[in-house]
């Protein structure tokens, strides 16, 4: 059995699509093998429904939004954020069939993402204090699908041993393959980790001073939350005499 099919995992919040990407219309997302569709309702709040129309099973994510409703692209049935069909263009409102609905999931905007819990969540939405701290800048690294097991993906975030090889053309140092050690702080429902490792700072950056590449230190304090959530307020420390702000 795949780890991601454990029923308990359905009872946590997951970051799915950046809310800004829903401005252009509905987006499909597969969460724990569940095909869902995300869209913005009339108040601009993200909503999540099963991505399958109850009429002729068309993919709702191929439709559009209109007046805060998700409109199926096949015959135009329109759904609200609770999954109820509220408009059938070919029939009057009194003729709404009893089964005209699709499953809806809890969905909230949080730290710029649409977070979804497939079932009653065991924990509140995770707090990321640095997101409100003006001393930090939030950088959305990338948003893409990786064809790999989710736990393998998470392991990659903590794997210091690959920097000298995979990232050799950016910050990795090929001549220093020995991984730095992690300090660990196990807590209920999450783990704190911290490591400091050497990194190459390119000459064109302000940190390097613009003359040549220099070696600095990358400070990586991660928090691994339950489950599948990893975030860390990373910093780069420049060598003495260089600016590090
Ligand atoms: S399949 Fe969606 S409205 Fe017909």
């Amino acid at each position: 059995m795949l780890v991601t099919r454990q029923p308990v995992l359905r009872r946590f919040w997951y970051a799915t699509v950046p809310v800004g990407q829903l401005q252009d219309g509905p987006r499909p997302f597969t969460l724990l093998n569940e095909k869902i569709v995300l869209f913005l309702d009339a108040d601009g709040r993200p909503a999540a429904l099963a991505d399958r129309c109850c009429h002729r099973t068309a993919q709702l994510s191929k439709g559009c939004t209109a007046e805060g409703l998700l409109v199926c692209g096949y015959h135009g049935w329109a759904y609200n954020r609770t999954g109820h069909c509220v408009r059938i263009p070919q029939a009057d409102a009194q003729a709404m069939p009893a089964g005209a609905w699709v499953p809806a999931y809890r969905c909230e905007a949080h730290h710029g993402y649409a977070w979804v819990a497939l079932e009653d969540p065991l924990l509140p939405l995770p707090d990321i204090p640095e997101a409100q701290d003006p001393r930090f800048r939030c950088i959305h690294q990338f948003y893409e699908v990786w064809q790999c097991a989710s736990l393998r993906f998470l392991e990659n975030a903590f794997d210091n041993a690959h920097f000298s090889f995979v990232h050799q053309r950016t910050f990795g140092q090929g001549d220093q393959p020995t991984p730095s050690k992690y300090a660990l702080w196990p807590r209920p429902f999450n783990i704190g980790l911290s490591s400091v490792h050497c990194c190459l700072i390119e000459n064109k950056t302000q940190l390097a001073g613009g003359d040549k590449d220099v070696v600095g230190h990358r400070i990586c304090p991660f928090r691994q939350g339950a489950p599948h959530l990893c975030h860390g307020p990373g910093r780069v420390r420049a060598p003495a005499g260089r600016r590090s702000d």
Side-chain angles (χ1 to χ4, degrees):
M1 185 184 189
L2 284 172
V3 173
T4 46
R5 304 252 172 105
Q6 295 288 344
V8 70
L9 294 180
R10 296 171 63 88
R11 301 193 58 192
F12 290 91
W13 288 102
Y14 297 92
T16 59
V17 179
V19 175
Q21 292 192 11
L22 300 176
Q23 302 283 357
D24 299 333
R27 293 284 302 262
F29 193 91
T30 302
L31 177 60
L32 300 175
N33 215 36
E34 202 80 59
K35 291 190 186 329
I36 64 176
V37 53
L38 294 124
F39 68 100
L40 294 181
D41 70 8
D43 299 321
R45 288 177 59 210
L49 304 179
D51 195 7
R52 186 178 162 103
C53 182
C54 66
H55 181 220
R56 289 289 185 271
T57 68
Q59 231 183 307
L60 290 170
S61 55
K62 292 189 183 301
C64 63
T65 49
E67 298 156 1
L69 300 174
L70 176 62
V71 181
C72 180
Y74 199 175
H75 308 93
W77 289 27
Y79 298 86
N80 63 18
R81 66 173 296 120
T82 66
H84 289 95
C85 179
V86 294
R87 191 168 65 221
I88 297 177
Q90 298 83 357
D92 57 41
Q94 284 70 38
M96 189 67 67
W101 61 276
V102 296
Y105 306 103
R106 291 161 189 78
C107 184
E108 298 289 344
H110 187 57
H111 295 321
Y113 279 78
W115 292 68
V116 175
L118 295 175
E119 292 179 22
D120 196 16
L122 292 168
L123 293 174
L125 282 160
D127 187 32
I128 302 176
E130 293 81 12
Q132 320 296 340
D133 187 334
R135 293 172 300 168
F136 288 88
R137 213 162 28 118
C138 181
I139 301 171
H140 295 281
Q141 263 190 309
F142 48 76
Y143 177 72
E144 61 192 23
V145 176
W146 285 20
Q147 298 295 343
C148 72
S150 59
L151 293 183
R152 186 66 73 205
F153 182 98
L154 274 181
E155 179 201 37
N156 170 260
F158 311 127
D159 177 14
N160 283 352
H162 76 277
F163 298 156
S164 314
F165 295 89
V166 175
H167 301 297
Q168 234 178 101
R169 296 177 66 184
T170 52
F171 64 88
Q173 286 197 277
D175 59 347
Q176 296 200 31
T178 307
S180 56
K181 291 208 175 344
Y182 268 113
L184 289 176
W185 300 276
R187 307 176 182 120
F189 285 106
N190 70 44
I191 304 171
L193 309 95
S194 184
S195 78
V196 178
H197 59 86
C198 290
C199 68
L200 207 61
I201 304 173
E202 282 187 282
N203 66 10
K204 57 187 176 210
T205 64
Q206 194 179 44
L207 290 179
D211 46 8
K212 60 183 172 58
D213 292 350
V214 294
V215 175
H217 290 92
R218 192 167 177 248
I219 303 154
C220 303
F222 286 115
R223 273 191 298 282
Q224 163 65 58
H228 303 135
L229 172 68
C230 170
H231 58 96
R235 285 187 293 135
V236 172
R237 190 168 60 212
R242 310 278 182 169
R243 289 189 59 175
S244 60
D245 54 344

